[in-house]
């Protein structure tokens, strides 16, 4: 390594080492994916102290199976029987779930069973409970888990989608409206309720049944989305208890997206397997290379400049000396320096051209080739099926409510 010092006092060896370190970090350290993961929680209860439902658990497990087999979820967590008791649900959301959800992740929550409306609050009755507020879990409890700010019990999910299939679940819409100022601007919470307002739900649930069919029929599409209009038509066309009508509301920006699992292989097949560098890595490598070559060019320029100054001093000495032997030595050194100057100038010109090419390639990657991603990144950015929205209106922050 060259030890020549530059004007700023750092050696060329140090600067080259720094840029080589940046190069290897960019190549061998995989970038963090911008797109977060999807997680699903299925809570279904059909056993109560003095009552029993027939289909809540069956439908919950069927929904979980469709999500797990056909869509891209990091995990589908199904909680029934004792796992759906008040104590275990509280522990699960406050401790277990909070530890695995990252700020860019999205969370789907399905809750089915008995519900009650008491003292102007909506409650879900967990496993083994009775239909009264003292043995229920307030829906506002779930909302508080996603309140903005850094709290010990806060779940940092970016997009949350509740599907509530129990009596009086339409009241969750009103409670969600009151919560709109309590979430971060870049997050969203959506609620699909099985009924409107204080209506009662039935068992088996036509809403859950149609929701499952929507997921099944949209499976495998490269593009497409669910819509409330489609949801409405399915219930009417199948003549499934049309007296029970769902409701839907969203607060915040953006929305939860369902990513078909089988699209992953389709996307990977369209990308060369040897494309192992992401656009970000190529950009950083290009600019790092340009800077490194620029340092070399600067080094060559300084050497050439010093040699030119040295020759000027030799010319001055040659004019004032009277010794022939010294003049001969000066002529020899002057000639050698001219050759060195030409060599270093050529090196400088070549390094300048290469640095410009590398910088130009970096600009190209940064501005015009942003889609050049690895197969894994493309798989995470696959076409998404947006639930219950004909148009992505929520992306601009409007509150959208659909009603029959």
């Amino acid at each position: 390594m060259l030890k020549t010092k530059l004007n700023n006092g750092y050696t060329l060896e140090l600067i080259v080492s720094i840029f080589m370190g940046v190069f290897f970090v960019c190549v061998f350290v995989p970038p963090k994916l911008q797109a977060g993961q999807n997680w699903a929680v299925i809570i279904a209860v059909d056993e109560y102290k003095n009552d029993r439902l027939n289909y809540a658990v069956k439908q919950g497990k069927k929904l979980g199976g469709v999500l797990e087999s056909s869509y891209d979820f990091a995990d589908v967590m199904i909680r029934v029987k004792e796992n759906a008791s008040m104590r275990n649900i509280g522990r699960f959301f406050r401790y277990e779930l909070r530890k695995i959800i990252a700020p860019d992740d999205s969370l789907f929550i399905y809750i089915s069973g008995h519900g009650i409306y008491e003292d102007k609050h909506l409650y879900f009755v967990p496993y083994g409970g009775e239909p009264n507020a003292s043995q229920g879990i307030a829906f506002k409890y779930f909302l508080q888990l996603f309140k903005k700010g850094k709290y010990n019990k806060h779940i940092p999910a970016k997009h949350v989608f509740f599907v509530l299939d129990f009596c009086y679940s339409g009241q969750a819409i009103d409670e969600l409206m009151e919560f709109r100022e309590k979430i971060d601007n870049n997050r969203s919470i959506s609620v699909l309720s099985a009924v409107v307002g204080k209506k009662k739900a039935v068992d088996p649930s036509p809403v859950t049944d149609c929701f499952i069919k929507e997921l099944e029929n949209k499976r495998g599409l490269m593009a497409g989305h669910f819509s409330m209009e489609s949801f409405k038509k399915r219930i009417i066309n199948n003549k499934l208890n049309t007296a029970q009508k769902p409701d839907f509301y969203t607060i915040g920006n953006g929305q939860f997206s369902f990513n078909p699992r089988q699209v992953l292989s389709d996307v990977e097949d369209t990308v060369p397997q040897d494309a192992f560098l992401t656009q970000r890595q190529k950009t950083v490598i290009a600019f790092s290379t340009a800077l490194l070559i620029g340092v070399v060019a600067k080094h060559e320029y300084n050497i050439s400049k010093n040699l030119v100054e040295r020759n000027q001093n030799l010319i001055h000495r040659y004019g004032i000396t009277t010794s022939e032997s010294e003049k001969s030595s000066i002529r020899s050194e002057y000639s050698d320096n001219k050759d060195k100057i030409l060599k270093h100038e050529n090196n400088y010109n070549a390094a300048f051209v290469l640095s410009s090419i590398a910088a130009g390639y970096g600009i190209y990657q940064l501005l015009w080739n942003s889609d050049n991603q690895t197969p894994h990144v493309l798989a995470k950015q696959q076409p998404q099926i947006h639930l219950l929205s004909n148009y992505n209106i929520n992306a601009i922050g409007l509150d959208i409510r659909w009603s029959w």
Side-chain angles (χ1 to χ4, degrees):
M1 279 287 183
L2 296 172
K3 297 290 186 178
T4 305
K5 286 197 173 184
L6 302 179
N7 294 333
N8 57 10
Y10 289 94
T11 64
L12 181 62
E13 180 183 37
L14 176 60
I15 296 177
V16 171
S17 300
I18 292 174
F19 283 112
M20 289 302 293
V22 172
F23 177 88
F24 284 108
V25 167
C26 291
V27 172
F28 296 108
V29 176
K32 181 180 179 181
L33 297 175
Q34 293 183 349
Q37 300 184 91
N38 281 1
W39 302 82
V41 177
I42 308 292
I43 300 175
V45 178
D46 56 13
E47 295 183 38
Y48 292 95
K49 189 171 183 179
N50 298 313
D51 191 16
R52 181 180 178 86
L53 299 175
N54 296 318
Y55 295 95
V57 172
K58 291 180 181 179
Q59 289 185 310
K61 288 183 176 180
K62 184 177 181 181
L63 173 60
V66 172
L67 295 178
E68 199 166 33
S69 63
S70 302
Y71 291 86
D72 185 22
F73 280 84
D75 194 8
V76 177
M77 295 161 276
I78 301 177
R79 303 187 70 83
V80 298
K81 294 186 178 295
E82 288 80 5
N83 285 331
S85 67
M86 178 182 290
R87 179 180 179 183
N88 289 333
I89 288 176
R91 182 187 297 116
F92 173 72
F93 277 93
R94 288 196 307 270
Y95 302 106
E96 299 175 31
L97 194 60
R98 183 174 58 86
K99 292 179 181 179
I100 63 175
I101 302 296
D104 287 331
D105 290 349
S106 296
L107 181 60
F108 173 84
I109 303 174
Y110 172 85
I111 304 177
S112 177
H114 272 319
I116 58 173
Y117 184 71
E118 189 173 307
D119 296 328
K120 297 182 180 181
H121 293 291
L122 176 66
Y123 297 86
F124 167 71
V125 184
Y127 173 81
E130 293 184 354
N132 59 67
S134 64
Q135 298 191 30
I137 302 176
F139 178 65
K140 285 188 176 180
Y141 164 79
F142 294 105
L143 291 178
Q144 291 295 329
L145 295 172
F146 307 101
K147 187 175 181 180
K148 66 181 177 182
K150 296 182 179 180
Y151 303 98
N152 292 334
K153 310 305 179 185
H154 173 72
I155 297 177
K158 187 169 187 177
H159 302 300
V160 183
F161 186 176
F162 288 96
V163 176
L164 307 178
D165 198 344
F166 49 84
C167 294
Y168 314 110
S169 56
Q171 290 300 122
I173 301 293
D174 295 333
E175 296 185 6
L176 182 64
M177 290 180 182
E178 298 173 0
F179 199 73
R180 63 166 64 117
E181 302 298 330
K182 299 179 181 179
I183 66 169
D184 293 324
N185 293 331
N186 63 335
R187 304 186 183 278
S188 72
I189 300 178
S190 302
V191 171
L192 171 65
S193 62
V195 298
V196 176
K198 301 176 185 177
K199 300 288 186 180
K200 290 190 175 183
V202 297
D203 182 37
S205 169
V207 173
T208 295
D209 184 62
C210 291
F211 188 78
I212 292 173
K213 288 180 180 179
E214 284 288 273
L215 290 173
E216 291 175 333
N217 292 340
K218 298 294 183 180
R219 181 190 309 169
L221 293 180
M222 292 294 294
H225 55 267
F226 295 113
S227 69
M228 203 54 168
E229 187 65 25
S230 172
F231 202 61
K232 171 184 175 181
K233 288 180 179 179
R234 180 174 298 283
I235 293 179
I236 293 176
N237 292 340
N238 291 338
K239 299 179 181 179
L240 295 174
N241 188 38
T242 54
Q244 181 175 330
K245 302 172 183 179
D247 202 357
F248 177 73
Y249 194 74
T250 294
I251 62 173
N253 294 308
Q255 57 182 288
F256 186 96
S257 298
F258 287 84
N259 305 323
R261 182 179 293 277
Q262 69 183 68
V263 174
L264 291 172
S265 59
D266 297 337
V267 174
E268 288 177 358
D269 291 341
T270 65
V271 182
Q273 294 302 311
D274 58 350
F276 64 93
L277 292 179
T278 67
Q279 177 265 342
R280 188 201 73 169
Q281 289 174 330
K282 288 182 179 180
T283 301
V284 176
I285 290 172
F287 284 122
S288 298
T289 303
L291 288 173
L292 176 60
I293 298 176
V295 171
V296 174
K298 175 67 174 176
H299 173 69
E300 294 293 327
Y301 173 80
N302 286 341
I303 293 177
S304 177
K305 181 181 178 181
N306 291 336
L307 289 172
V308 169
E309 292 176 353
R310 174 61 179 169
N311 273 1
Q312 291 175 346
N313 291 332
L314 290 175
I315 292 174
H316 178 71
R317 283 177 54 196
Y318 188 85
I320 62 176
T321 185
T322 57
S323 171
E324 290 297 328
S325 61
E326 186 175 357
K327 287 184 177 182
S328 176
S329 175
I330 290 175
R331 285 195 299 267
S332 177
E333 183 179 353
Y334 181 87
S335 177
D336 290 341
N337 286 346
K338 284 184 65 178
D339 293 337
K340 291 178 181 178
I341 290 171
L342 180 62
K343 173 185 175 182
H344 287 292
E345 284 182 346
N346 289 336
N347 290 343
Y348 166 77
N349 291 331
F352 180 82
V353 171
L354 291 176
S355 178
S356 300
I357 293 174
Y361 182 74
I363 294 173
Y364 165 74
Q365 289 291 335
L366 185 65
L367 299 180
W368 290 286
N369 199 30
S370 59
D371 293 331
N372 187 15
Q373 303 273 342
T374 62
H376 184 54
V377 174
L378 278 174
K380 286 293 182 182
Q381 295 177 345
Q382 57 188 284
Q384 298 175 337
I385 299 177
H386 296 294
L387 182 63
L388 307 175
S389 174
N390 279 327
Y391 307 98
N392 196 5
I393 300 176
N394 290 330
I396 59 176
L398 297 179
D399 287 336
I400 305 301
R401 183 172 185 178
W402 178 92
S403 59
W404 289 59

